[in-house]
Amino acid sequence: MTSKKQQLAKELFASKGPILKTKALNANKLYSREIAELVQLGFIMKIKPGYYIWSGDANNLSDIEIAASVIPHGIICHHSAAQLHEMTTVNPLVVSIAVPANRTRIVVPDHPPVEIILSSIQTFELGLTMLKTEYTTVRVYDRERTVCDFFRKRNQLGEDIALEILRNYMSGNRNLQKLFEYAEKLRIKKVMKPYVEALL
């Protein structure tokens, strides 16, 4: 591989990265042989089929940023969303990503570990917000949807954690009208309302 091609790859990842798809590399005249060589030489790393990251950037990106980039149609949820919104002290071992239930084939990255949560198509985008991080923009459920999700899944995720999330939400930036609107659409308003009122 020529140094010119290596420089081209470096500039491409610097300007359009930190994660690029094979299609973007091909469009800039870096084809499968050159891509394989860049991986072999350690310039880039393959995250999952068709997705690559510049090796020098791999340690700078959080697991959430990497997972969100390689599952672009998903939405960061549960513990991962709570972590992004600083509503929990729990450091999740996996990145939780919601995808619509009609998406049958999801290819997860080799790293980080990802948990796929199938979501009802009707409520999939309820509470979707875009959060700018240092290196990318992440699709994540907002604070209100995150609280509601913990109450919906409190038997699996833990009632104590659901209460911790709610307490942290109530002590920070809150919008109770939006919270109850979401709770109604997700059919948990009756369950959640007494807990919210107790914290007012």
Side-chain angles (χ1 to χ4, degrees):
M1 172 176 287
T2 65
S3 57
K4 192 177 176 182
K5 285 277 189 182
Q6 289 174 13
Q7 188 59 32
L8 169 65
K10 186 176 182 178
E11 288 169 4
L12 195 58
F13 275 91
S15 63
K16 298 186 177 180
I19 294 170
L20 292 178
K21 294 173 76 170
T22 305
K23 190 177 176 182
L25 296 171
N26 291 167
N28 287 275
K29 298 184 169 44
L30 288 167
Y31 301 108
S32 53
R33 186 172 59 81
E34 285 103 346
I35 293 169
E37 236 180 299
L38 285 165
V39 171
Q40 192 181 353
L41 292 167
F43 287 105
I44 64 174
M45 290 167 54
K46 182 179 177 182
I47 303 173
K48 77 170 193 178
Y51 286 82
Y52 298 88
I53 186 170
W54 188 256
S55 294
D57 291 332
N59 292 329
N60 296 331
L61 267 71
S62 69
D63 286 354
I64 289 174
E65 287 171 319
I66 293 172
S69 296
V70 298
I71 307 176
H73 57 274
I75 303 174
I76 300 296
C77 65
H78 293 170
H79 289 98
S80 303
Q83 183 185 26
L84 279 176
H85 294 306
E86 299 179 346
M87 293 196 299
T88 182
T89 54
V90 175
N91 194 12
L93 299 175
V94 297
V95 179
S96 301
I97 299 188
V99 297
N102 62 344
R103 300 238 8 170
T104 52
R105 189 174 175 271
I106 310 293
V107 180
V108 298
D110 298 331
H111 178 83
V114 168
E115 171 191 37
I116 297 294
I117 310 294
L118 294 179
S119 172
S120 158
I121 298 159
Q122 288 79 13
T123 58
F124 174 62
E125 293 196 339
L126 180 69
L128 168 62
T129 188
M130 307 300 281
L131 190 66
K132 184 90 176 105
T133 64
E134 190 176 348
Y135 294 97
T136 185
T137 300
V138 172
R139 284 162 52 94
V140 59
Y141 285 129
D142 63 15
R143 290 165 56 82
E144 289 75 21
R145 172 67 191 259
T146 301
V147 171
C148 289
D149 280 346
F150 270 90
F151 268 84
R152 284 171 75 208
K153 301 277 182 79
R154 63 195 180 283
N155 292 332
Q156 297 112 291
L157 300 174
E159 194 163 341
D160 53 337
I161 294 172
L163 291 170
E164 180 204 15
I165 301 290
L166 178 62
R167 274 194 298 271
N168 291 336
Y169 170 78
M170 294 295 286
S171 65
N173 184 19
R174 66 191 193 194
N175 181 335
L176 296 184
Q177 186 180 339
K178 191 197 282 189
L179 181 70
F180 286 133
E181 180 191 318
Y182 288 2
E184 192 156 342
K185 287 180 179 174
L186 296 166
R187 299 177 183 176
I188 52 154
K189 188 175 177 181
K190 282 183 181 176
V191 172
M192 201 169 71
K193 195 174 180 184
Y195 291 99
V196 174
E197 288 174 344
L199 292 169
L200 286 173

